[in-house]
Amino acid sequence: MTTVAWDPARLPSQAGRVVAVTGANAGLGFFTSLQLARAGARVVLVCRDQMKAARARAAIQRLVPGSEVSVVRLDTADLGSVRSAAKELSALDRLDVLITNAGIVHPPRQREVSPDGLELVGVTNHFGHFALVARLVDVLERTPGARVVTLGSLATRLVRLDVDDLQLERRYTGWRAYAQSKIMSWSFGLELDRRLRAAGAQTRALVAHPGYSITGRTPTVRGVNEPGAGERFVDNLQASVTQGKDRGAWPTVRAAIDPLADGGDSFGPRYRLKGAPVLETPALVSRDPDVAAAIWAESERATGLTLLHP
Ligand SMILES: NC(=O)c1ccc[n+]([C@@H]2O[C@H](COP(=O)([O-])OP(=O)(O)OC[C@H]3O[C@@H](n4cnc5c(N)ncnc54)[C@H](OP(=O)(O)O)[C@@H]3O)[C@@H](O)[C@H]2O)c1
């Protein structure tokens, strides 16, 4: 459990460490990758669109001369793609941190399914990441002090979860799909840590949420984040309750590398929607072990993979 102050502008050196970030070509994933590259980490951008990934890689190399940045292709909504990406990532000599950041943040109005028949928002934001973690446990365990960081959201406090309808076959709305996917992500992170410890593993799992972080309040980065004047104007009208995605990345970065953070910790902005990264108490639903067991069982069923059984 962390007790001392943390300065996002003065990160401990990550030289020699390898960090993989899903959804790293844009938004929070990009700024998380950039900050970790600045701290000296070798960064793997795990992205579905290779053109966007190339632009993000070029931007990081421009902003952090000499940084080591590579790309792995992954569409989290496609379990075949997860298998291929995991194979590539497993070939790394080490994997110190896996950050499962990719996500649909503007869900479709009508329920859609993935090529594997899973509800699209759930598989993109959670089930695909569950499969990725299941396939990367070995490479993480080979790396002393490895961490998995999953991405939660304040939305987890705003909906009731129906554990009997995790594929949203009975009652779909876009908002419900998003919030439920984030409950699954947060719950998964905490349960993953419990199961890793129970298995005697060294890897730890932590959770982060970025408050309310929006594009028009985020610094311009050529080829990656170039909002127009209109978006800047509208987003700045919400300045009192929002922050840029550069700052939204702070809790994730802290969860990834604060040496005093422990498995099972969650981090978020000090003022819930914005601010410096501090320890956060997850919503009751995300801490409920029965809910976690139901989500885990559905994740195994959906992906056809088993992970960390007692
Ligand atoms: N922004 C916030 O205020 C906020 C609040 C709470 C939680 N979060 C969480 O933070 C994470 C990032 O959000 P953001 O605001 O940075 O969103 P964003 O700017 O829309 O970026 C989302 C990233 O995820 C990628 N992605 C989407 N679907 C994917 C798929 N099927 N396979 C692989 N990558 C995929 C996107 O790739 P493409 O460019 O190819 O689409 C993009 O790189 C999400 O998990 C979100 O739930 C954000």
Side-chain angles (χ1 to χ4, degrees), residues 22-30 46-49 52 74-78 81 100-106 120 123-125 129 151-155 178 181-182 185 208-215 243 245 252 273:
T22 70
N25 58 278
L28 295 157
F30 172 79
V46 187
C47 307
R48 66 173 161 180
D49 182 319
K52 290 183 187 175
L74 167 67
D75 179 346
T76 58
D78 177 346
S81 171
T100 62
N101 161 86
I104 295 180
V105 293
H106 300 295
L120 188 65
V123 67
T124 304
N125 296 8
H129 284 133
L151 265 285
S153 167
L154 286 176
Y178 178 71
S181 75
K182 293 283 103 179
S185 301
H209 85 87
Y212 187 21
S213 305
I214 58 178
T215 301
Q243 60 185 353
K245 296 196 182 190
T252 304
L273 297 165

